[in-house]
Amino acid sequence: MISYEDRTKYDAADEVQERYRAGFGVSEELVREISLQKNEPAWMLEKRLRAFALFLKTPLPQWGPDLSGLDLDKITYFVRPNANESTSWEEVPENIKRTFDRLGIPEAERTTLGGVGAQYDSDVVYHNIKEEWAQQGVVFENMDTAVRNYPDLVQKHFMTSCVPINDHKFAMLHAAVWSGGTFIYVPPGVKVAFPLQAYFRMNAERGGQFEHTLIIADKGSEVSYIEGCSAPRYMTSALHAGCVELFVGEDAKIRYSSIENWSLNTYNLNTKRALVEKNGTIEWVNGNMGSGTTMLYPSSILVGEGAHSESLGIAVAGPGQNQDTGAKAIHVAPRTSSVIRAKSISRGGGIASYRGQVRVGRRADETISHVTCDALILDSASQSHTYPYIKTENTNSDISHEARTGRIGDDEIFYAMSRGLTEERAIQMIVGGFVEEISKKLPLEYAVEFNRLIDLQMEGAVG
Amino acid sequence: MMDVSEIFVPENTIKTLTMPEDIVHGGSYTATVHVAKGASLMIVETLQETAPCAVRLTVRLEGEGAFVVDTSRYQGRENAVLDIERVIVHVAPFTTSRVDARGILHDASRVLWRGRVIVEQGAKKAQAFLRHDAILTGAHALADAAPFLEIFTDDAVCKHSASVRRVEPAQLFYMKSRGVAEEDARNMLLEGFLKI
C-alpha cells in the first residue's frame, strides 16, 4: 500500500534549465516565434496565424464546467527544455531523466514496449522505436520533425478533415501554439504487435502544453498507442489543450489508451477525434484522474460502411475536481456500430459528469449504438451528473442508452468486513472491481500504475 | 397560446393528472406540480400532434415520501414538432419518481425531448427512474432526446435509459411467418409499443 504523500511524486516540480521560454500570454509575435524556432515550412505558419485570428474572435464556451478561473494571459505558451532530442537514454540530461525515473518510464521501455517518446514541456526529448518496425516503414516521430520530414502526409492530415482549426476555441488556440507531440504512420497491412507509448509531463510554472498527436493507420494495418500524462503541482493555474487526430483507414485498427493525471491546478481541455473508414475499428481507453477541471470527449466519426468504435472511459473526481468527460459517436455511413462504456467515481466533494452524444445520420442504415454509464458516489458532498444526447434521423437503427448512479451498498461493505477487511480496504477492493474493466485493457505496467493511482485517490475516502 | 399553471397535491392524497385535458386544451402548456408529504401523483399524457406543440412540466417532490408516476405516450405526424420537457426535482427524503415516455414519429415529425431528474442534497434515499423510448417510421422524422440526471447526494439510487429503435425485423418476421401481412404486423407492433 502506498502512503498518501506519494501523490506528491507526480506533483513535484523539478528545476530544469530551459533553453527558451516565452513570456506570459499569446500574441501573433509569439506564434511567429514558435514557428521560426521550429524552422517550419510556410504553410504551417500560415495555418497557425489563421487559427490565431479565429481564436481572438471566438468566445469561451458557455456550457459545461466553469472556466472563469482560467486566465489565458497568465500562461506561458512555449517552453523548450535544455536538451535536444536523443535516441539513447544516456544522452538525456540527468535531472530530466530523474523526473522520468520517478514516474517509472524507463522500466516501461525496457519491458519491450515498441518505442518511447516522452514530452517534457514542449519538446520531445527522447524517442526510440524498435528497428524491426522502422524497417517495415512504421514512422514514430516527434511531431515537429514529422512536419519537416513527411510534409505530404502531415499537410494532408494535420488539422484538416479530422479536427479542423476552426473547430472550437481551444482547438484554435492549439493550432496556433501547438508544439511537440507524436506522429505515427503505419503502412498498409503492417500490424504493430507491441504498443507504442509516449509520456507527457508539464513542468514549467503556469505552463501550457499543446502537444499534437497524429496517427495514421493505413489500409489493413493495426497499431496500439499509449499516452500517460502527469504534471507537477504549482500554485497558479495551468492549461493543457492537446489535440489527438486518428485516421483509421479501411480495415485498419487503432487502439488509443491514455491515462491523464495532471496536477490539480490544471485545466485539461483536450480534443480527441478519430475518423474511421470502411470496416475500420477505433478503440478508446481513457482514464482521467488528475487536473482541476477536465473537459474531454473523445469522438469517433464513422464515415465508412461497417466502421466500429469502442470507447471505455473512467473518471475519478476527488476534492476540488470537476471531471466533465464522455464520448461521442457520429454515425454517417450504414452498418456502423459504437459501444460507449463510461464509469465515474466522485468523492470528497468532487463532481463527475458524463456528457456524451450519439448522432445517427439519415444514410446510416442499420446502425447499432449502445451507451452505458455507471457512477459511484462515495460521500454526500459529491455529485454525479449524466448528460446523454441522442439525435437520430434514421428509421432503421438501434440506439440505446442506460445509466445508473448510486453508492457502494452497505451490505457489500459489511460482507467484505465480515471477511476481515478494514472498511477502507473493503472500499478500495470494491472500487478496484468497479474499474477493473479499464485496467484489464491496459498493458501490465500501466495497469499497475493505474491501480496505484486509483488507490491513492481513494486514500482517506472513509471517515 | 401558452398556459402556465401551478398545481398542488396536498399531504397524503392521490391525484391523477390526465394531460392535456386536465391542464389546457390545445398545443402548448407549462405547469409546475408541487407534491406534498406522502402524496402521490399519477400523470397520464397522450399526445397526437400534427402541428408544433410545447409541453413543459416540472414536478417538485417537496414532502417526505412524495411519489410520482409519469406515463407519457406521443405520436407525431406530418410536420409536427414536439417539444417536450420533464423536470423532476427530488427535494425531500424518501421520494420516488418514475418517468416512462414513449413515442412514435411518423412522416416528417420531430421530437425534442428533454428530461431532467435533479436529486438535491437533502433527498436521502430517493429513487428515480427516467426512461424515454422512441421509434422512427417517417423517412424525414427526427428524434433528439436527452435524459439528464443531476445527483447531488450519495444516498440515492437513480437510473435512466433512452433508446431510439426500429420495428424489430425479427418480430416482424415472426408475425409474417404466422400469416399476418407486413403492414398489419408493423401496425400491431407499433400499437404494442405504445401500450401502457
Side-chain angles (χ1 to χ4, degrees):
Chain A
M1 180 117 62
I2 297 135
S3 72
Y4 185 67
E5 282 71 39
D6 264 30
R7 176 105 181 36
T8 54
K9 97 172 176 191
Y10 304 98
D11 288 344
D14 284 344
E15 289 193 10
V16 172
Q17 300 293 314
E18 287 148 7
R19 195 170 46 170
Y20 175 84
R21 183 190 186 96
F24 290 148
V26 57
S27 62
E28 195 181 315
E29 290 78 65
L30 175 74
V31 174
R32 285 180 188 278
E33 180 65 33
I34 295 173
S35 189
L36 185 73
Q37 287 213 16
K38 290 180 178 292
N39 199 10
E40 283 175 355
W43 65 266
M44 183 55 88
L45 174 64
E46 193 257 337
K47 190 166 226 170
R48 283 180 187 272
L49 291 174
R50 256 193 307 143
F52 183 65
L54 285 166
F55 167 75
L56 292 178
K57 278 192 284 190
T58 312
L60 279 171
Q62 293 302 303
W63 51 275
D66 178 25
L67 298 177
S68 58
L70 178 65
D71 191 343
L72 291 171
D73 294 327
K74 288 237 169 77
I75 286 169
T76 310
Y77 286 83
F78 185 55
V79 183
R80 299 183 92 172
N82 193 13
N84 283 321
E85 195 169 337
S86 329
T87 47
S88 104
W89 187 248
E90 282 70 41
E91 289 170 34
V92 177
E94 198 51 43
N95 47 356
I96 290 183
K97 216 150 77 173
R98 205 164 49 233
T99 314
F100 284 136
D101 273 335
R102 276 197 281 166
L103 294 166
I105 301 311
E107 265 155 82
E109 209 264 347
R110 270 183 240 127
T111 49
T112 64
L113 283 165
V116 164
Q119 169 135 357
Y120 201 97
D121 286 335
S122 302
D123 275 345
V124 172
V125 290
Y126 177 57
H127 232 291
N128 189 17
I129 181 167
K130 286 265 157 73
E131 247 167 52
E132 192 190 333
W133 304 124
Q135 270 168 12
Q136 291 188 24
V138 176
V139 180
F140 183 28
E141 271 290 5
N142 174 359
M143 196 64 225
D144 296 318
T145 319
V147 171
R148 290 192 296 271
N149 295 359
Y150 306 92
D152 296 345
L153 272 175
V154 175
Q155 192 165 6
K156 186 178 169 206
H157 295 99
F158 189 92
M159 298 197 88
T160 50
S161 50
C162 190
V163 181
I165 56 168
N166 60 352
D167 204 61
H168 57 85
K169 187 170 177 83
F170 292 100
M172 295 167 194
L173 179 65
H174 173 87
V177 300
W178 76 270
S179 174
T182 307
F183 174 80
I184 296 175
Y185 173 76
V186 188
V190 175
K191 292 184 165 56
V192 183
F194 295 110
L196 304 173
Q197 70 155 354
Y199 208 98
F200 296 91
R201 189 171 195 275
M202 194 152 66
N203 198 53
E205 184 173 7
R206 279 181 243 156
Q209 186 144 357
F210 304 90
E211 87 287 348
H212 194 96
T213 304
L214 176 59
I215 304 178
I216 305 163
D218 220 322
K219 215 169 169 180
S221 66
E222 256 179 49
V223 65
S224 171
Y225 177 70
I226 307 167
E227 212 164 65
C229 299
S230 157
R233 192 204 307 267
Y234 280 111
M235 292 313 285
T236 42
S237 66
L239 170 66
H240 172 244
C243 182
V244 175
E245 292 183 283
L246 310 180
F247 288 84
V248 186
E250 228 180 284
D251 297 312
K253 182 177 174 184
I254 295 182
R255 177 191 278 188
Y256 175 96
S257 321
S258 83
I259 300 299
E260 304 198 29
N261 185 35
W262 304 98
S263 65
L264 291 179
N265 61 346
T266 304
Y267 285 83
N268 184 15
L269 314 172
N270 227 334
T271 311
K272 298 184 179 182
R273 199 170 296 163
L275 215 54
V276 191
E277 301 287 340
K278 193 173 172 186
N279 292 331
T281 302
I282 174 72
E283 269 186 51
W284 297 98
V285 180
N286 277 292
N288 279 290
M289 270 153 290
S291 69
T293 302
T294 303
M295 287 172 89
L296 175 59
Y297 322 100
S299 324
S300 313
I301 305 175
L302 306 170
V303 289
E305 194 175 328
H308 177 66
S309 152
E310 248 174 69
S311 180
L312 197 56
I314 176 119
V316 183
Q321 287 180 295
N322 188 344
Q323 301 278 18
D324 203 89
T325 60
K328 287 189 199 176
I330 318 287
H331 297 261
V332 183
R335 282 167 285 286
T336 48
S337 53
S338 64
V339 180
I340 298 172
R341 308 260 300 124
K343 285 170 182 264
S344 73
I345 300 167
S346 49
R347 64 166 200 93
I351 305 170
S353 307
Y354 168 82
R355 197 183 295 275
Q357 190 180 39
V358 175
R359 284 188 69 164
V360 181
R362 189 150 291 151
R363 270 195 331 114
D365 253 335
E366 293 179 41
T367 287
I368 297 173
S369 168
H370 185 65
V371 183
T372 317
C373 306
D374 289 309
L376 260 188
I377 313 180
L378 294 184
D379 53 53
S380 61
S382 308
Q383 303 172 19
S384 176
H385 307 318
T386 317
Y387 306 99
Y389 293 84
I390 300 174
K391 196 170 179 179
T392 321
E393 289 177 274
N394 185 288
T395 52
N396 195 14
S397 54
D398 214 324
I399 321 299
S400 54
H401 169 100
E402 56 181 314
R404 186 183 173 280
T405 305
R407 62 173 188 165
I408 299 176
D410 292 335
D411 44 348
E412 291 169 42
I413 293 177
F414 177 79
Y415 177 83
M417 285 171 74
S418 77
R419 292 293 182 276
L421 297 176
T422 62
E423 187 176 0
E424 188 163 359
R425 194 65 208 129
I427 290 176
Q428 272 184 354
M429 196 179 77
I430 292 163
V431 168
F434 183 73
V435 301
E436 196 193 353
E437 207 177 340
I438 311 268
S439 53
K440 266 202 311 217
K441 287 235 170 182
L442 296 170
L444 187 65
E445 323 78 72
Y446 273 84
V448 169
E449 185 175 338
F450 175 75
N451 283 338
R452 249 170 42 192
L453 285 170
I454 294 276
D455 277 357
L456 285 179
Q457 280 276 357
M458 287 303 125
E459 291 269 327
V462 180
Chain B
M1 206 189 86
M2 200 73 135
D3 191 82
V4 182
S5 46
E6 297 268 328
I7 299 164
F8 292 88
V9 186
E11 251 180 58
N12 298 323
T13 57
I14 299 173
K15 182 171 177 65
T16 305
L17 210 56
T18 311
M19 301 210 298
E21 293 84 351
D22 279 359
I23 297 187
V24 71
H25 296 275
S28 305
Y29 48 86
T30 299
T32 304
V33 190
H34 303 265
V35 187
K37 188 177 168 186
S40 300
L41 171 69
M42 313 286 164
I43 299 170
V44 183
E45 180 183 54
T46 328
L47 297 170
Q48 294 267 10
E49 302 297 327
T50 51
C53 80
V55 177
R56 309 204 184 288
L57 187 71
T58 303
V59 177
R60 292 182 59 84
L61 302 170
E62 291 167 350
E64 211 175 294
F67 180 73
V68 60
V69 177
D70 176 352
T71 312
S72 166
R73 297 289 182 263
Y74 63 83
Q75 287 197 70
R77 290 175 200 281
E78 295 170 30
N79 290 316
V81 179
L82 290 88
D83 178 354
I84 304 174
E85 186 190 77
R86 284 289 198 277
V87 182
I88 312 282
V89 191
H90 289 257
V91 185
F94 302 101
T95 46
T96 307
S97 68
R98 296 202 183 287
V99 179
D100 174 14
R102 287 185 194 189
I104 300 174
L105 298 153
H106 306 276
D107 311 322
S109 61
R110 291 157 174 249
V111 68
L112 191 71
W113 198 89
R114 293 285 178 267
R116 257 176 97 191
V117 170
I118 302 165
V119 180
E120 293 186 355
Q121 211 168 0
K124 302 285 173 209
K125 307 274 180 219
Q127 285 187 34
F129 186 39
L130 173 68
R131 72 179 286 180
H132 175 259
D133 301 291
I135 289 183
L136 266 61
T137 67
H140 297 280
L142 179 144
D144 184 344
F148 297 162
L149 284 182
E150 294 179 37
I151 319 293
F152 295 86
T153 176
D154 65 325
D155 204 2
V157 178
C158 305
K159 298 175 201 171
H160 69 173
S161 74
S163 74
V164 181
R165 285 185 259 172
R166 54 185 168 180
V167 175
E168 242 353 285
Q171 292 179 0
L172 213 51
F173 177 79
Y174 178 85
M175 304 274 281
K176 278 159 74 182
S177 76
R178 293 293 182 278
V180 182
E182 174 154 351
E183 203 44 42
D184 293 340
R186 190 178 293 275
N187 286 336
M188 282 162 79
L189 287 168
L190 289 176
E191 200 180 307
F193 174 71
L194 288 185
K195 270 259 162 65
I196 295 176

